[in-house]
Amino acid sequence: MNNLDRERLKNLQNRINKMDPVDIAERLEDLLKEDIAIWIKLLNKDLLADAFSLLPREKKIEIIGSLSEDRIMSLMKELEEDEVVDTLQELPANMVRKFMNQYIEEDRRPIINELLGYPRESVGSIMSVGFIFVKNTTTPTEALEKIIHSDLDADRLEQVWVTNESLVLIGYANLADLLRNRNKTDDIEEFMHPINASVYATDDQELVAKLAHKYDLSEIPVTDSEGRLIGIVPAEWAIDVMHEEYEEDLGNIHGISESSPEHYWDKSVLKLAKDRTMWLIICLVTATFTSFIIKKYEALLASSVALAAYIPMLMDSGGNAGTQSSTTVIRGIYTGEIEFKEFLQVMFKELRIGLIVGVILVIVNIVRMSILDSVSIGVTLTVSVTLLTTIVLSKIIGGILPLIAEKINVDPTIMAGPLITTIVDTLVLFVYFEIATILIGV
């Protein structure tokens, strides 16, 4: 290697070791294998570990396959326990066994095995066991001494958790407060912040995001059934959970079932088609009900062909009205504002909203029909009454279905997509033809 090559490598090393782990991970995804090998050698161990934890499954496996056993062991040592667990969950079963036996330090195996035992998307599967705590009788000087001798990363030492003599979590103290009061002999409890909320390791990870948003917490404590601290979830991880839940909810609303967390360009056309097909098949099958209804009222349609022209408008209006209500209620469920016990209140409120919205739409539609359409008063009256009834019923259905889903532990966002549209479409047709039968007759 000549001096010019050495100089280039040195400049590259200086540059990449000043980059953010997120940017490093993005570059590693795009680099050729030869360049990845160079970057791995030039990156310092901490930075490589942080970037590695952010890589997608395929890239992690590729990088592991290119490393020597010593480098793999060094990389695993730099990863936090929760990051090791994330990596192991993405590896084939035979590789997991090899990693646990050869590359994971023996004293870390019990913790990692415990974290691996938690269900995916539970708090336990994402929590960190890297935290520092003191008893409430500890002085600021003693707490600072414990921080100084801790081997945790700096971002895990910004606050110290406080327990009572029984090790039950009662609050936390900020590092800044410890420094300001370091010369005082009072117990740490004098400037301790009480615990606003905590979660269990078995709770759904979505609860972490809700609490972080509600209380503006920088770290969410995870406790056992007796209130003892067993882990924490930093706010930045809660943000990741929010992003994952948002993508999942968006997929549910629009009838897309994500089969894997890969990016759009990394997924094959076949896999994307598979993700999108299931709900379309469900909608296609359930649409059979609407065809049955139309066949049942063929004589009515034959006697008044004009009725058929308004079916799309009524179905669209009903579907949109139901989706609006379900989206609003789902947001209320997520923020904790709406609960199942308020089922009747939600129903009554959506009824009133439906009446107001329905009356306004009926007025607009009558004006529209009088200007653009030449139909009998019977058809106009039928469409208007159906429109009002449809909007009211759709609002009520859209409001209560997410609550029912939440009660039976089904993701409420499923009710905001194709499912509610299919239900409303069937209802609209039935109401429309029944009202037409009464007002127009056959």
Side-chain angles (χ1 to χ4, degrees), residues 366 369 375-387 435 439:
I366 289 175
M369 290 179 71
V375 293
S376 65
I377 188 67
V379 172
T380 302
L381 190 58
T382 298
V383 173
S384 299
V385 174
T386 303
L387 182 58
I435 291 175
L439 297 180

Side-chain angles (χ1 to χ4, degrees), residues 48 114 332:
L48 174 59
E114 183 180 354

Side-chain angles (χ1 to χ4, degrees), residues 80-86 89 114-130 156 199-209 220 222 230-242 244-245:
E80 293 187 19
E81 281 79 3
D82 58 279
E83 294 172 338
V84 173
V85 170
D86 288 341
Q89 287 177 333
E114 183 180 354
L115 294 176
L116 282 170
Y118 289 113
R120 292 187 74 91
E121 298 193 357
S122 69
V123 173
S125 69
I126 64 169
M127 73 179 182
S128 169
V129 293
R156 294 291 173 269
V199 294
Y200 295 123
T202 52
D203 287 336
D204 191 288
Q205 65 177 9
E206 189 173 355
L207 183 58
V208 169
I220 299 89
V222 186
I230 61 172
I232 60 166
V233 180
E236 60 266 28
W237 297 358
I239 293 173
D240 292 338
V241 172
M242 286 182 185
E244 290 175 14
E245 294 295 336

Side-chain angles (χ1 to χ4, degrees), residues 199-256:
V199 294
Y200 295 123
T202 52
D203 287 336
D204 191 288
Q205 65 177 9
E206 189 173 355
L207 183 58
V208 169
K210 292 179 180 179
L211 293 179
H213 175 264
K214 183 176 181 179
Y215 294 106
D216 290 328
L217 299 173
S218 58
E219 291 180 348
I220 299 89
V222 186
T223 62
D224 61 17
S225 58
E226 297 180 2
R228 291 189 292 262
L229 186 66
I230 61 172
I232 60 166
V233 180
E236 60 266 28
W237 297 358
I239 293 173
D240 292 338
V241 172
M242 286 182 185
H243 180 69
E244 290 175 14
E245 294 295 336
Y246 168 76
E247 289 187 329
E248 181 183 332
D249 292 347
L250 196 63
N252 287 336
I253 289 172
H254 296 287
I256 302 172

